[in-house]
Amino acid sequence: MMSQPSTELEGLEEHTKSPKIKSTITSSLSRLTPVHRTLLFAVILFQVFVVLYFTRTRNVSISKSPEQPLPDVEAAECDSRWIYIYDLPSMYNSDLKDKCEQLDPWQNKCEKNLNDGFGQEAMELSGIVPESILPAWYWTDQFWGEVMFHNRMLNYECRTLEPENATAFYIPFYAGFAVGKYAWGNHTTRERDWHAEMLSKWIQEQKWWKRFSGSNHFIMLGRVTWDFRRSGEADAEWGSSFLHMPAMQKVVRMSIERNIWDNLDIAVPYPTIFHPRFESDIIEWQRFIRSRRRNYLFTFVGGARKSFKNDFRGILQNQCLNESTACRNVDCSREKCSDGTTSIMETFLDSDFCLQPRGDTFTRRSVFDCMLAGSIPVFFWRRTAYLQYQWFVPDEPESYSVFIHRDDVRNGTNIRRVLEGYGREEVERMREKIIEYIPKFVYAKPSKGLEKTRDAFDVAVDGILSKIRDAIGEGDDWNWMNEYE
């Protein structure tokens, strides 16, 4: 504890090297008795401690950036919640976003950048959703979460521009864009890893990284975790090796699907097409789907994959088509379903239950589109939701969903008969639970979030901060920057 004050006193000596000043000080000290000298030293030492305490506290005022003004919030409200956002070189985020025509080999993605990453207004939903909340609907791309999250973080109520005060550090690297643009075609592993390798080198050179080797850092990955876990170096292998790089071994990472065996992976909801502007938007939508008349028992939105042997989606589609009076089908092999369509929303709104097999991986965006419409999801893999989105869906799976093991379906279980076994009261109870949780899995439109209601962004940040505090501990150890000054 004595090393810090002595360092400050050594600093004071630098200001006393003038011969005249030094002579005056020496003369004055020589007239003091030993007791007085001891008392004088104690007073100086006490003052140094006071200065150090007040300059090192976390709740100092935040300097305002004219380019990005910070929210007006009391320091006490942000205790252990301060987040610092790295100002990365543009090559890691905005350049990738702005070169949107390069992100997909089949279509221009630039319209997805509109409205701060929410995409185009979904005016086609007029007549399907209440007109009063139609401005809250956008054709949002399911892989645009990195942009949406970054924009919200810039306006986070406990954002700090002083990294020495930060509890956690956010890395706004659009890793999903960086790998997605090289996901198809004859691209090498070097191309797919280039941005990630450069970012890894950059972040490890930052002094804020060094104390905990990234344990108090987090990142948002806009694609599923498997897109960043390439284990081999053959060019034919999928994705990048970003999460296997040394710099990422302690970083908390959000993605729209997690690796259930990796405690640092956090699954966050896929972006839906509903982005409430006010609490009243949510209340009106909840009221609307609660009173909605539903004409079908269940629905299947998806496309069969005939090239797959014993394709499970094909089995579900056949059951749906064979029960046409009870099941409504949207065939995604014939129409585009990735960003949502009017027919998809109409179908979910018209059905009590929605069948949710796995997609290319264990999850798919349709899970959240389905629940957003108040339709009850039917799962066939537990990893599709139960082991993924624990912060955003109810703890009790049976309170909001139905599980039918895929092997039972393959062996002849009739889905219609299973679902008809649920009485009307039970169906309404499950739907009400979904309606209750809608605010937790939608992303609000305001850049600062909703005034009172906590959305998916708020839930995610609170959880990440808690995970970081658990990982590295709290207390005086947070004030560590003096070791790197």
Side-chain angles (χ1 to χ4, degrees), residues 254-298:
M254 294 172 284
S255 62
I256 50 180
E257 179 179 339
R258 68 183 288 254
N259 176 358
I260 63 173
W261 294 285
D262 190 333
N263 192 47
L264 293 178
D265 268 16
I266 305 298
V268 297
Y270 279 76
T272 66
I273 58 176
F274 178 50
H275 304 288
R277 304 158 298 169
F278 321 101
E279 275 85 0
S280 59
D281 285 351
I282 295 177
I283 294 171
E284 184 165 355
W285 180 246
Q286 290 171 321
R287 184 186 301 117
F288 176 75
I289 61 176
R290 185 181 287 118
S291 61
R292 172 81 177 189
R293 178 181 175 179
R294 297 172 190 264
N295 299 311
Y296 290 87
L297 176 64
F298 65 111

Side-chain angles (χ1 to χ4, degrees), residues 145-164:
E146 293 164 340
V147 178
M148 293 165 50
F149 197 90
H150 189 190
N151 289 335
R152 279 288 295 276
M153 278 303 314
L154 291 173
N155 293 278
Y156 178 59
E157 62 180 353
C158 295
R159 178 191 172 194
T160 178
L161 298 180
E162 299 177 355
E164 64 269 23

Side-chain angles (χ1 to χ4, degrees), residues 39-186:
L39 289 174
L40 178 60
F41 179 77
V43 169
I44 294 173
L45 190 61
F46 174 76
Q47 291 175 334
V48 169
F49 270 115
V50 170
V51 170
L52 285 174
Y53 176 81
F54 282 104
T55 57
R56 295 174 68 230
T57 180
R58 275 178 291 170
N59 293 334
V60 298
S61 61
I62 299 177
S63 60
K64 306 291 184 178
S65 168
E67 295 81 12
Q68 188 65 51
L70 296 186
D72 184 14
V73 61
E74 294 293 334
E77 297 177 19
C78 292
D79 188 39
S80 296
R81 293 175 59 208
W82 293 118
I83 295 178
Y84 179 79
I85 304 174
Y86 280 107
D87 184 14
L88 298 183
S90 61
M91 61 179 284
Y92 297 118
N93 43 49
S94 61
D95 285 355
L96 290 167
K97 175 178 66 71
D98 294 341
K99 296 177 181 178
C100 42
E101 72 282 354
Q102 302 176 6
L103 295 177
D104 191 309
W106 297 288
Q107 60 177 312
N108 190 313
K109 289 280 189 176
C110 292
E111 65 182 25
K112 306 304 180 181
N113 281 333
L114 299 175
N115 298 303
D116 297 326
F118 290 110
Q120 289 183 315
E121 296 90 343
M123 302 306 295
E124 297 86 347
L125 290 174
S126 177
I128 299 174
V129 306
E131 292 294 328
S132 60
I133 61 172
L134 183 59
W137 296 79
Y138 299 84
W139 296 125
T140 304
D141 191 285
Q142 62 179 337
F143 297 137
W144 242 248
E146 293 164 340
V147 178
M148 293 165 50
F149 197 90
H150 189 190
N151 289 335
R152 279 288 295 276
M153 278 303 314
L154 291 173
N155 293 278
Y156 178 59
E157 62 180 353
C158 295
R159 178 191 172 194
T160 178
L161 298 180
E162 299 177 355
E164 64 269 23
N165 300 325
T167 301
F169 294 77
Y170 167 54
I171 308 170
F173 171 39
Y174 296 172
F177 288 174
V179 66
K181 65 183 297 184
Y182 299 113
W184 295 273
N186 297 320

